[in-house]
Short mmCIF file of all heavy atoms in Angstrom, two decimals:
data_model
loop_
_atom_site.label_atom_id
_atom_site.label_comp_id
_atom_site.label_asym_id
_atom_site.label_seq_id
_atom_site.Cartn_x
_atom_site.Cartn_y
_atom_site.Cartn_z
N PRO A 152 -11.58 -1.65 8.66
CA PRO A 152 -12.29 -1.58 7.35
C PRO A 152 -13.77 -1.75 7.48
O PRO A 152 -14.52 -1.19 6.66
CB PRO A 152 -11.64 -2.84 6.56
CG PRO A 152 -10.32 -3.08 7.23
CD PRO A 152 -10.56 -2.68 8.59
N ALA A 153 -14.19 -2.44 8.42
CA ALA A 153 -15.70 -2.75 8.62
C ALA A 153 -16.39 -1.33 8.92
O ALA A 153 -17.52 -1.06 8.42
CB ALA A 153 -16.09 -3.67 9.70
N THR A 154 -15.72 -0.59 9.84
CA THR A 154 -16.36 0.73 10.10
C THR A 154 -16.44 1.61 8.80
O THR A 154 -17.34 2.37 8.46
CB THR A 154 -15.64 1.39 11.18
OG1 THR A 154 -15.48 0.56 12.32
CG2 THR A 154 -16.26 2.73 11.51
N ALA A 155 -15.23 1.67 8.03
CA ALA A 155 -15.21 2.39 6.87
C ALA A 155 -16.24 1.87 5.83
O ALA A 155 -16.95 2.69 5.22
CB ALA A 155 -13.83 2.19 6.20
N ALA A 156 -16.53 0.58 5.80
CA ALA A 156 -17.63 0.10 4.95
C ALA A 156 -18.97 0.59 5.36
O ALA A 156 -19.91 0.80 4.54
CB ALA A 156 -17.60 -1.42 4.90
N ALA A 157 -19.19 0.74 6.64
CA ALA A 157 -20.56 1.23 7.10
C ALA A 157 -20.71 2.74 6.68
O ALA A 157 -21.76 3.17 6.41
CB ALA A 157 -20.58 1.08 8.51
N VAL A 158 -19.51 3.47 6.72
CA VAL A 158 -19.71 4.83 6.28
C VAL A 158 -19.91 4.98 4.82
O VAL A 158 -20.66 5.80 4.33
CB VAL A 158 -18.29 5.58 6.60
CG1 VAL A 158 -18.21 6.96 5.98
CG2 VAL A 158 -18.14 5.73 8.08
N ARG A 159 -19.27 4.10 4.08
CA ARG A 159 -19.54 4.05 2.56
C ARG A 159 -20.95 3.79 2.22
O ARG A 159 -21.58 4.29 1.29
CB ARG A 159 -18.61 3.06 1.86
CG ARG A 159 -18.57 3.08 0.33
CD ARG A 159 -17.63 2.12 -0.22
NE ARG A 159 -18.29 0.84 -0.18
CZ ARG A 159 -17.67 -0.39 -0.43
NH1 ARG A 159 -16.29 -0.24 -0.56
NH2 ARG A 159 -18.18 -1.56 -0.41
N ARG A 160 -21.59 2.74 2.98
CA ARG A 160 -22.99 2.47 2.75
C ARG A 160 -23.86 3.58 3.01
O ARG A 160 -24.80 3.84 2.27
CB ARG A 160 -23.33 1.26 3.63
CG ARG A 160 -24.71 0.78 3.39
CD ARG A 160 -25.04 -0.50 4.28
NE ARG A 160 -24.82 -0.29 5.71
CZ ARG A 160 -24.96 -1.21 6.58
NH1 ARG A 160 -25.25 -2.47 6.24
NH2 ARG A 160 -24.62 -1.03 7.85
N ARG A 161 -23.61 4.27 4.10
CA ARG A 161 -24.41 5.57 4.45
C ARG A 161 -24.25 6.59 3.28
O ARG A 161 -25.29 7.21 2.85
CB ARG A 161 -23.97 6.10 5.76
CG ARG A 161 -24.66 7.39 6.19
CD ARG A 161 -26.15 7.36 6.35
NE ARG A 161 -26.48 6.42 7.39
CZ ARG A 161 -26.62 6.73 8.75
NH1 ARG A 161 -26.32 7.91 9.06
NH2 ARG A 161 -26.89 5.83 9.62
N LEU A 162 -23.02 6.87 2.93
CA LEU A 162 -22.78 7.87 1.84
C LEU A 162 -23.45 7.49 0.53
O LEU A 162 -24.03 8.31 -0.16
CB LEU A 162 -21.36 8.20 1.67
CG LEU A 162 -20.70 8.86 2.79
CD1 LEU A 162 -19.12 8.89 2.61
CD2 LEU A 162 -21.07 10.25 2.93
N THR A 163 -23.49 6.13 0.16
CA THR A 163 -23.98 5.65 -1.03
C THR A 163 -25.48 5.97 -1.03
O THR A 163 -26.14 6.38 -2.03
CB THR A 163 -23.82 4.34 -1.26
OG1 THR A 163 -22.36 4.07 -1.24
CG2 THR A 163 -24.36 3.75 -2.54
N ARG A 164 -26.08 5.73 0.08
CA ARG A 164 -27.69 5.97 0.11
C ARG A 164 -27.92 7.38 0.00
O ARG A 164 -28.81 7.93 -0.64
CB ARG A 164 -28.14 5.51 1.57
CG ARG A 164 -28.10 3.87 1.67
CD ARG A 164 -28.44 3.51 3.02
NE ARG A 164 -28.52 2.08 3.11
CZ ARG A 164 -28.65 1.38 4.29
NH1 ARG A 164 -28.87 2.00 5.43
NH2 ARG A 164 -28.73 0.01 4.27
N TRP A 165 -27.16 8.39 0.67
CA TRP A 165 -27.33 9.74 0.49
C TRP A 165 -27.20 10.22 -0.98
O TRP A 165 -27.92 11.08 -1.49
CB TRP A 165 -26.32 10.48 1.35
CG TRP A 165 -26.69 10.50 2.95
CD1 TRP A 165 -27.74 9.87 3.41
CD2 TRP A 165 -25.89 10.99 3.97
NE1 TRP A 165 -27.63 9.99 4.75
CE2 TRP A 165 -26.60 10.74 5.12
CE3 TRP A 165 -24.64 11.64 3.88
CZ2 TRP A 165 -25.99 11.02 6.39
CZ3 TRP A 165 -24.15 12.00 5.27
CH2 TRP A 165 -24.81 11.78 6.32
N THR A 166 -26.22 9.55 -1.63
CA THR A 166 -25.94 9.96 -3.02
C THR A 166 -27.21 9.65 -3.94
O THR A 166 -27.51 10.40 -4.68
CB THR A 166 -24.77 9.13 -3.59
OG1 THR A 166 -23.57 9.48 -2.74
CG2 THR A 166 -24.40 9.56 -5.04
N VAL A 167 -27.75 8.46 -3.71
CA VAL A 167 -28.94 8.01 -4.55
C VAL A 167 -30.10 9.02 -4.24
O VAL A 167 -30.77 9.52 -5.25
CB VAL A 167 -29.35 6.52 -4.26
CG1 VAL A 167 -30.60 6.22 -4.79
CG2 VAL A 167 -28.26 5.67 -4.61
N VAL A 168 -30.36 9.30 -2.96
CA VAL A 168 -31.51 10.24 -2.67
C VAL A 168 -31.22 11.55 -3.27
O VAL A 168 -32.20 12.25 -3.78
CB VAL A 168 -31.67 10.22 -1.09
CG1 VAL A 168 -32.64 11.30 -0.71
CG2 VAL A 168 -32.09 8.94 -0.60
N ALA A 169 -30.10 12.16 -3.08
CA ALA A 169 -29.78 13.44 -3.62
C ALA A 169 -29.93 13.49 -5.20
O ALA A 169 -30.39 14.42 -5.72
CB ALA A 169 -28.48 13.91 -3.14
N THR A 170 -29.44 12.50 -5.82
CA THR A 170 -29.40 12.52 -7.22
C THR A 170 -30.96 12.40 -7.70
O THR A 170 -31.31 13.12 -8.69
CB THR A 170 -28.68 11.31 -7.82
OG1 THR A 170 -27.26 11.46 -7.37
CG2 THR A 170 -28.69 11.27 -9.42
N VAL A 171 -31.67 11.49 -7.14
CA VAL A 171 -33.14 11.45 -7.53
C VAL A 171 -33.83 12.79 -7.31
O VAL A 171 -34.65 13.30 -8.10
CB VAL A 171 -33.84 10.45 -6.69
CG1 VAL A 171 -35.27 10.45 -6.96
CG2 VAL A 171 -33.33 9.00 -7.15
N ALA A 172 -33.56 13.51 -6.25
CA ALA A 172 -34.19 14.85 -5.98
C ALA A 172 -33.76 15.83 -6.93
O ALA A 172 -34.60 16.51 -7.48
CB ALA A 172 -33.87 15.28 -4.52
N VAL A 173 -32.54 15.88 -7.39
CA VAL A 173 -32.03 16.93 -8.26
C VAL A 173 -32.52 16.71 -9.61
O VAL A 173 -32.90 17.59 -10.35
CB VAL A 173 -30.59 17.12 -8.19
CG1 VAL A 173 -29.79 16.09 -8.95
CG2 VAL A 173 -30.10 18.52 -8.77
N VAL A 174 -32.67 15.49 -10.05
CA VAL A 174 -33.17 15.12 -11.35
C VAL A 174 -34.71 15.46 -11.40
O VAL A 174 -35.17 15.96 -12.47
CB VAL A 174 -32.99 13.57 -11.64
CG1 VAL A 174 -33.84 13.14 -12.82
CG2 VAL A 174 -31.53 13.31 -11.89
N ALA A 175 -35.40 15.24 -10.33
CA ALA A 175 -36.80 15.64 -10.37
C ALA A 175 -36.95 17.12 -10.54
O ALA A 175 -37.89 17.64 -11.27
CB ALA A 175 -37.43 15.12 -9.09
N LEU A 176 -36.08 17.87 -9.77
CA LEU A 176 -36.10 19.40 -9.92
C LEU A 176 -35.78 19.80 -11.37
O LEU A 176 -36.47 20.66 -12.00
CB LEU A 176 -35.19 19.96 -8.89
CG LEU A 176 -35.62 19.97 -7.48
CD1 LEU A 176 -34.51 20.46 -6.55
CD2 LEU A 176 -36.90 20.75 -7.23
N LEU A 177 -34.73 19.29 -12.00
CA LEU A 177 -34.42 19.64 -13.21
C LEU A 177 -35.55 19.26 -14.30
O LEU A 177 -35.62 19.92 -15.23
CB LEU A 177 -33.12 18.94 -13.69
CG LEU A 177 -31.85 19.56 -13.23
CD1 LEU A 177 -30.57 18.77 -13.59
CD2 LEU A 177 -31.70 21.06 -13.69
N THR A 178 -36.17 18.10 -14.04
CA THR A 178 -37.21 17.72 -15.01
C THR A 178 -38.31 18.76 -15.00
O THR A 178 -38.95 19.10 -16.07
CB THR A 178 -37.77 16.32 -14.55
OG1 THR A 178 -36.76 15.39 -14.61
CG2 THR A 178 -39.01 15.85 -15.53
N ALA A 179 -38.61 19.33 -13.81
CA ALA A 179 -39.75 20.26 -13.65
C ALA A 179 -39.25 21.70 -14.13
O ALA A 179 -40.07 22.49 -14.69
CB ALA A 179 -40.16 20.33 -12.35
N PHE A 180 -38.04 22.15 -13.84
CA PHE A 180 -37.51 23.54 -14.05
C PHE A 180 -36.42 23.61 -15.00
O PHE A 180 -35.84 24.80 -15.05
CB PHE A 180 -37.31 24.17 -12.75
CG PHE A 180 -38.38 24.10 -11.72
CD1 PHE A 180 -38.37 23.23 -10.64
CD2 PHE A 180 -39.49 24.93 -11.88
CE1 PHE A 180 -39.44 23.18 -9.78
CE2 PHE A 180 -40.52 24.80 -10.91
CZ PHE A 180 -40.55 24.02 -9.90
#
Side-chain angles (χ1 to χ4, degrees):
T154 303
V158 171
R159 190 181 78 195
R160 180 173 60 183
R161 172 67 60 86
L162 289 170
T163 301
R164 291 173 179 172
W165 287 356
T166 303
V167 173
V168 171
T170 301
V171 170
V173 78
V174 166
L176 288 174
L177 279 178
T178 301
F180 303 105

